[in-house]
Amino acid sequence: MIKPRFISFEGGEGSGKSTQIKLLAKRLAKYGDVITTREPGGTIEAEIIRNLLVKGKKNKWSGVVETLLLYAARKDHIDKIIDPSLKKNKWVLCDRFKESTLVYQGHAKNVDINLIKKLDKIITNNLTPGLTFILDIDPIIGLKRSKRKSNTETRYENMSLGFHNKIRKAFRTIAKSNKKKFVLINANQDINLIQDIIWNEVLKRINAK
Ligand code: TMP
């Protein structure tokens, strides 16, 4: 189920998603109500699951266990926030969504992609954003940026550079698979320049309706 008012942002660590979401939310406000949210998380209960995932020892869980936790959090988030907001015709801007699971758990932690796709169908009925921005950055630069913040959510950041290079490669491959839905953006450039690229893509779709 593709939802045009649902826009997700994807990318590696330190790619600047949250900054871009804030800027887009301001610009979109004249086109209707906007909510900004994130995964894993977005509800009090899903944030509890987030804490389990993003903190602690790197190897505490297998990719499959992480996938199940992520889909538990996602289901709660969809039921309480995403679906009700879309039904009220609000714009939903989400920091990460299902492509993160395909990339982090599927491509980087070797979870069977078919398992993730099956779970996605069963749990979310294939709920899909109409537009996904993929912010692309060299992990050496991105990790430096995210480690600069007073960040305690370091479980994935602490994974190897090889892991983060796999993430980047997988996001770039996904971006190429559907150029209408995915917009790949070089995240190593001026924040306002990136925002202009994002805004132009959103406007194009608003005007096409
Ligand atoms: P953030 O750093 O963008 O806030 O995201 C938190 C971490 O969660 C990030 O390192 C990637 C990870 N993650 C997954 O591994 N799989 C997922 O499906 C999602 C949504 C996030």
Side-chain angles (χ1 to χ4, degrees):
M1 286 259 272
I2 298 176
K3 300 285 182 182
R5 285 191 169 234
F6 184 18
I7 302 176
S8 62
F9 287 73
E10 300 278 7
E13 317 303 313
S15 56
K17 297 173 279 92
S18 53
T19 305
Q20 293 301 329
I21 288 174
K22 274 188 214 140
L23 293 171
L24 178 60
K26 276 195 196 151
R27 280 177 146 173
L28 252 185
K30 46 176 182 292
Y31 291 88
D33 289 340
V34 184
I35 69 142
T36 61
T37 187
R38 69 173 183 180
E39 290 216 342
T43 66
I44 291 168
E45 293 71 21
E47 291 286 332
I48 295 169
I49 300 175
R50 178 190 178 92
N51 258 311
L52 300 175
L53 283 159
V54 298
K55 291 178 182 168
K57 287 197 182 133
K58 287 193 282 202
N59 296 324
K60 67 177 178 178
W61 279 315
S62 69
V64 173
V65 174
E66 289 179 14
T67 302
L68 295 172
L69 287 168
L70 284 156
Y71 269 90
R74 189 160 294 147
K75 175 69 175 154
D76 195 62
H77 188 208
I78 290 171
D79 287 352
K80 293 174 181 162
I81 301 286
I82 298 177
D83 264 352
S85 302
L86 292 173
K87 281 197 181 114
K88 289 183 195 145
N89 220 21
K90 294 183 183 178
W91 294 94
V92 177
L93 309 184
C94 193
D95 192 335
R96 299 192 183 278
F97 196 59
K98 65 167 102 180
E99 272 69 35
S100 278
T101 316
L102 285 171
V103 166
Y104 281 79
Q105 283 63 46
H107 290 276
K109 294 196 82 169
N110 294 320
V111 176
D112 180 0
I113 299 285
N114 283 322
L115 170 74
I116 299 174
K117 291 193 167 165
K118 273 186 198 158
L119 256 181
D120 195 71
K121 166 120 191 60
I122 295 164
I123 307 296
T124 82
N125 196 20
N126 292 333
L127 177 65
T128 302
L131 178 60
T132 297
F133 292 103
I134 297 183
L135 301 185
D136 177 57
I137 193 147
D138 182 332
I140 294 179
I141 299 168
L143 286 167
K144 241 190 233 161
R145 278 191 194 170
S146 63
K147 281 177 183 166
R148 238 185 273 143
K149 300 179 202 160
S150 54
N151 193 354
T152 55
E153 298 186 336
T154 51
R155 182 164 169 259
Y156 290 97
E157 277 180 11
N158 289 338
M159 308 249 176
S160 67
L161 187 60
F163 177 89
H164 290 287
N165 280 326
K166 266 192 201 166
I167 301 282
R168 182 184 196 195
K169 192 165 169 234
F171 272 133
R172 289 168 68 104
T173 304
I174 286 179
K176 285 186 200 133
S177 72
N178 181 347
K179 289 194 173 163
K180 271 193 186 157
K181 179 176 149 40
F182 298 112
V183 177
L184 184 70
I185 300 175
N186 172 9
N188 190 23
Q189 52 182 334
D190 181 74
I191 286 175
N192 295 311
L193 217 84
I194 298 172
Q195 180 55 210
D196 286 345
I197 297 169
I198 290 173
W199 183 235
N200 281 335
E201 290 293 334
V202 173
L203 267 189
K204 251 197 263 171
R205 284 156 178 87
I206 291 174
N207 293 331
K209 276 181 204 156

